[in-house]
Amino acid sequence: TQLLEQSPQFLSIQEGENLTVYCNSSSVFSSLQWYRQEPGEGPVLLVTVVTGGEVKKLKRLTFQFGDARKDSSLHITAAQPGDTGLYLCAGLGTASKLTFGTGTRLQVTL
Amino acid sequence: SAVISQKPSRDICQRGTSLTIQCQVDSQVTMMFWYRQQPGQSLTLIATANQGSEATYESGFVIDKFPISRPNLTFSTLTVSNMSPEDSSIYLCSVGVSGGTGELFFGEGSRLTVL
């Protein structure tokens, strides 16, 4: 079974602060995705990283895929209340199965 | 992208009853999945809904408890049978993006509370 552990599980910060969420596994993934889920809604895809060492930026969000394609990080610069939500990483592994991470709940306050 | 509509968005049910959740997609899709999200938790795949054949269930989920229908490429239903409070969860329908990337679009979810 391929597992994806996210850390931290919960993060409460003030507007303007920076943060990093980690997604780690002992398994190799062919690609890795990050989703954000807001209360009462389904997860929404933010980005997919495919190549080891790849870095993608989406406005204030920076995503990195580990060189060995076993881990990933999400860095948010100058967090805003609109960034509040549940962040989920998901890895595409063997048999094209998608495994979701344990989740990181982010709360950004004014 | 795909627009996915789920019904009901939420429901409160009595123990021992069954509830069917509907998922409608605005375009034909090959891959359709049902996930469960327990309160404060991540997503767990229940099954892959296959058009014209029986669904493929993940370990820990069985057809008698979670029967799934997929009559065509735009519609699927998930039934939660003989419910107990442990079935209180959000149930999410999702569809896969073509191209083998594994990317998913999700419906807004159906929040089920069993008393």
Side-chain angles (χ1 to χ4, degrees):
Chain A
T1 304
Q2 297 178 301
L3 299 174
L4 276 167
E5 294 284 340
Q6 288 184 236
S7 61
Q9 286 185 315
F10 181 77
L11 194 55
S12 180
I13 61 172
Q14 291 192 317
E15 182 179 21
E17 292 185 29
N18 302 332
L19 66 118
T20 301
V21 177
Y22 298 94
C23 173
N24 295 299
S25 176
S26 58
S27 302
V28 176
F29 295 100
S30 57
S31 67
L32 195 137
Q33 303 150 32
W34 285 92
Y35 294 81
R36 179 170 66 212
Q37 183 180 23
E38 298 184 26
E41 299 184 9
V44 174
L45 179 68
L46 296 174
V47 78
T48 299
V49 285
V50 179
T51 306
E54 183 177 4
V55 176
K56 279 192 174 179
K57 291 192 175 184
L58 185 66
K59 296 183 180 177
R60 294 175 293 101
L61 278 61
T62 301
F63 305 85
Q64 184 163 7
F65 202 11
D67 291 341
R69 291 187 287 127
K70 293 182 179 181
D71 55 83
S72 181
S73 64
L74 158 61
H75 182 78
I76 300 179
T77 303
Q80 299 177 359
D83 296 326
T84 293
L86 176 67
Y87 288 81
L88 295 160
C89 63
L92 187 65
T94 55
S96 297
K97 285 208 167 185
L98 193 65
T99 300
F100 278 87
T102 48
T104 295
R105 192 166 297 278
L106 172 65
Q107 183 172 323
V108 183
T109 56
L110 294 171
Chain B
S1 64
V3 177
I4 304 166
S5 301
Q6 280 187 238
K7 288 194 292 187
S9 57
R10 58 176 63 229
D11 207 339
I12 300 173
C13 303
Q14 296 299 315
R15 181 196 300 259
T17 62
S18 298
L19 178 77
T20 296
I21 302 167
Q22 298 180 3
C23 177
Q24 179 74 54
V25 189
D26 68 341
S27 58
Q28 293 187 334
V29 294
T30 304
M31 296 172 289
M32 188 177 281
F33 309 94
W34 287 97
Y35 282 85
R36 182 173 71 183
Q37 185 176 31
Q38 295 183 303
Q41 302 294 316
S42 184
L43 276 63
T44 301
L45 180 63
I46 297 172
T48 301
N50 301 307
Q51 193 266 327
S53 65
E54 194 171 284
T56 304
Y57 289 85
E58 297 300 305
S59 176
F61 297 96
V62 294
I63 187 171
D64 290 346
K65 176 67 176 177
F66 298 100
I68 288 170
S69 78
R70 178 105 190 258
N72 56 54
L73 293 176
T74 64
F75 186 79
S76 178
T77 67
L78 168 73
T79 298
V80 186
S81 303
N82 188 25
M83 288 184 286
S84 67
E86 291 72 36
D87 294 319
S88 297
S89 285
I90 299 171
Y91 292 87
L92 293 149
C93 171
S94 70
V95 301
V97 174
S98 61
T101 60
E103 296 170 345
L104 299 175
F105 292 106
F106 285 88
E108 66 271 23
S110 300
R111 181 181 292 272
L112 180 60
T113 302
V114 185
L115 303 178

